[in-house]
């Protein structure tokens, strides 16, 4: 498993997967407007219990998909054998087994690493509740959907964006009484959290973004570090221990010790810390530099070391990612996920 985990780390942190000319993916290509692959065509590659969502291209890539005898698929890296056997998993909406909707990629805020608001307007979805419900019904018919998740940029103001979440969560809950529902909103009051819970959400993700206040202030100049910590505490009261998640982006100049302190703090509050390596790309590079973020290339070794640290922090507080059935822990496509991948 150690070897599979290392390969997963190399794959998640590396470049695109080049497809053989003329090869047609056996599943629909995913075009995401959120997450590390936002704005690129991508596919999910699965091997040895791991899965990774990667940008795909016919022109170039650090990895190459190789189609062997009887359609057996493998991956090479810069021409050398890398993963001897992979399968390509279907994406429901944005990720496997989940209907994950980005309600609106536009955002009034300016987080330096975030690519959602920078996407070509043609990627713009601005989905109405009716349209989302139609898409959800379609997904439910076509796939075995295990969870429904929602994210969004902040459009107009925080109140009206939370109202959008409440609307889609309430509709989803009315149609599908038993499906786990996860939300990743930006909230600014305890009332917002209660409204989402009352509408029928089971899990909430409020992102701390950086373990260090000074880095946070440069990366997310419009957001409030202390406010997020206070709201996380309230979210645990409302949603329960193990049902509140907070992502931390690393690779922006923080140390491993900074991350350990922040994860201990979150876990002691009953919050599950998610770790996400910074991905620098053509869409966010200039903004990260302008913000004075010291972007670091995250090595697979660091990713593995930090994932172990994350697992130990959760373990000390009786937490596990298995209580989270929605969003990124359940998807597993972009990070090394303790208690699920290893
Ligand atoms: S709040 Fe920040 S991270 Fe979230 S969508 Fe807006 S700019 Fe992106
Ligand atoms: S891990 Fe999260 S960001 Fe990545 S594809 Fe899955 S749901 Fe999207």
């Amino acid at each position: 498993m150690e070897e599979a985990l290392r390969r997963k780390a190399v794959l998640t942190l590396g470049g695109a997967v080049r497809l053989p000319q003329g090869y047609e993916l056996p599943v629909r290509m995913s075009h995401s407007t959120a997450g590390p692959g936002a704005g690129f065509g991508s596919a999910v590659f699965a091997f040895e219990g791991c899965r990774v969502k990667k940008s795909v291209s016919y022109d170039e890539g650090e990895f190459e998909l190789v189609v062997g005898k009887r359609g057996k698929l493998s991956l090479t890296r810069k021409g050398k054998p890398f993963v001897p056997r992979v399968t390509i998993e279907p994406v429901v909406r944005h990720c496997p087994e989940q209907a994950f909707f980005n309600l609106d990629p536009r955002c009034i805020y300016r987080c330096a690493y975030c690519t959602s608001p920078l996407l070509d307007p043609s990627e713009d979805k601005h989905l109405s509740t009716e349209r989302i419900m139609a898409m959800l019904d379609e997904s439910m018919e076509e796939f075995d959907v295990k969870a429904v998740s929602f994210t969004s940029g902040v459009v107009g103001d925080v109140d009206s964006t939370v109202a959008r979440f409440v609307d889609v969560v309430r509709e989803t809950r009315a149609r599908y009484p038993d499906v786990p529902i996860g939300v990743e909103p930006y909230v600014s009051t305890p009332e917002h959290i209660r409204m989402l819970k009352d509408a029928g959400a089971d899990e909430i993700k409020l992102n701390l973004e950086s373990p260090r206040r000074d880095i946070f202030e440069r990366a997310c100049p419009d957001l409030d570090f202390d406010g997020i910590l206070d709201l996380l505490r309230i979210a645990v009261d409302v949603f329960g221990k193990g049902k509140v998640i907070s992502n931390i982006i690393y690779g922006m100049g923080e140390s491993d010790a900074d991350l350990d302190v922040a994860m201990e703090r979150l876990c002691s509050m009953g919050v599950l810390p998610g770790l996400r390596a910074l991905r620098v790309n053509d869409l966010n590079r200039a903004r990260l530099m302008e913000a004075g973020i010291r972007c670091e290339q995250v090595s697979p070794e660091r990713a593995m070391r930090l994932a172990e640290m994350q697992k130990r922090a959760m373990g000390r507080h009786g937490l596990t990612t298995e209580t989270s059935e929605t969003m990124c822990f359940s998807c597993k496509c972009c990070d090394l996920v303790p208690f699920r991948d290893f």
Side-chain angles (χ1 to χ4, degrees):
M1 196 59 215
E2 173 88 9
E3 194 41 40
L5 196 67
R6 197 190 61 80
R7 284 200 281 251
K8 180 175 180 183
V10 172
L11 195 54
T12 53
L13 296 167
V17 174
R18 181 155 56 79
L19 304 177
Q21 284 300 334
Y23 177 77
E24 294 221 6
L25 288 170
V27 297
R28 196 175 51 206
M29 201 184 289
S30 169
H31 290 276
S32 297
T33 53
F40 304 99
S42 52
V44 173
F45 299 90
F47 58 95
E48 294 176 66
C50 296
R51 60 185 174 206
V52 180
K53 188 169 169 184
K54 293 299 300 172
S55 297
V56 291
S57 158
Y58 288 105
D59 305 322
E60 54 181 1
E62 178 178 341
F63 306 91
E64 305 87 23
L65 181 72
V66 179
V67 184
K69 287 199 189 105
R70 287 189 290 277
K72 175 181 170 273
L73 300 177
S74 61
L75 288 176
T76 54
R77 181 177 181 222
K78 297 175 187 154
K80 298 211 176 83
F82 181 60
V83 183
R85 183 156 207 127
V86 291
T87 54
I88 297 179
E89 282 197 17
V91 165
V92 179
R93 300 258 170 216
H94 173 77
C95 63
E97 300 181 313
Q98 285 187 58
F100 198 150
F101 295 95
N102 187 0
L103 302 179
D104 204 319
R106 294 174 298 175
C107 190
I108 56 172
Y109 298 140
R110 302 161 293 165
C111 302
Y113 48 78
C114 180
T115 54
S116 290
L118 307 178
L119 297 178
D120 185 293
S122 59
E123 301 274 348
D124 212 355
K125 294 191 174 168
H126 314 312
L127 299 169
S128 68
T129 301
E130 295 69 43
R131 180 77 193 105
I132 290 171
M133 290 307 124
M135 290 162 82
L136 178 58
D137 290 344
E138 211 178 274
S139 297
M140 288 286 190
E141 290 223 332
E142 194 181 343
F143 298 97
D144 178 17
V145 177
K146 303 233 166 76
V148 181
S149 302
F150 298 104
T151 188
S152 181
V154 178
V155 186
D157 54 41
V158 178
D159 285 345
S160 53
T161 307
V162 171
R164 284 281 292 122
F165 274 92
V166 166
D167 202 40
V168 290
V169 169
R170 192 179 287 132
E171 270 297 319
T172 304
R173 182 52 77 224
R175 282 165 194 248
Y176 302 100
D178 302 320
V179 75
I181 302 176
V183 290
E184 186 186 25
Y186 184 73
V187 298
S188 57
T189 68
E191 187 53 22
H192 289 152
I193 295 169
R194 282 189 279 271
M195 284 161 66
L196 290 160
K197 175 71 179 161
D198 291 346
D202 300 295
E203 296 174 27
I204 189 166
K205 191 173 192 198
L206 306 175
N207 297 327
L208 187 61
E209 312 292 7
S210 172
R212 274 204 355 225
R213 183 190 303 272
D214 58 329
I215 298 174
F216 176 97
E217 283 169 357
R218 271 179 272 140
C220 311
D222 310 306
L223 311 187
D224 172 8
F225 190 78
D226 292 320
I228 294 169
L229 282 169
D230 289 344
L231 289 163
L232 279 167
R233 216 166 272 119
I234 292 159
V236 175
D237 289 343
V238 175
F239 279 80
K241 199 173 156 179
K243 289 290 183 190
V244 179
I245 303 112
S246 190
N247 256 22
I248 299 176
I249 296 175
Y250 66 97
M252 299 198 290
E254 73 298 308
S255 67
D256 288 7
D258 293 331
L259 289 159
D260 207 13
V261 169
M263 289 196 286
E264 172 61 27
R265 187 172 186 181
L266 291 174
C267 289
S268 68
M269 290 159 51
V271 174
L272 303 174
L275 283 183
R276 166 75 37 96
L278 174 69
R279 267 77 158 188
V280 181
N281 56 45
D282 292 343
L283 293 172
N284 64 11
R285 185 172 290 111
R287 292 193 355 155
L288 284 160
M289 280 174 63
E290 270 165 37
I293 302 292
R294 213 175 78 216
C295 301
E296 289 160 359
Q297 180 63 42
V298 173
S299 68
E301 290 68 33
R302 186 176 188 212
M304 291 172 74
R305 189 168 73 233
L306 290 174
E308 290 285 354
M309 190 185 269
Q310 179 190 15
K311 188 174 188 179
R312 283 196 299 276
M314 289 192 224
R316 283 195 294 275
H317 295 275
L319 297 170
T320 161
T321 59
E322 285 169 324
T323 52
S324 174
E325 299 171 279
T326 71
M327 301 181 279
C328 297
F329 282 147
S330 159
C331 168
K332 306 195 302 176
C333 270
C334 299
D335 318 291
L336 306 178
V337 181
F339 303 102
R340 289 178 180 263
D341 281 332
F342 65 101

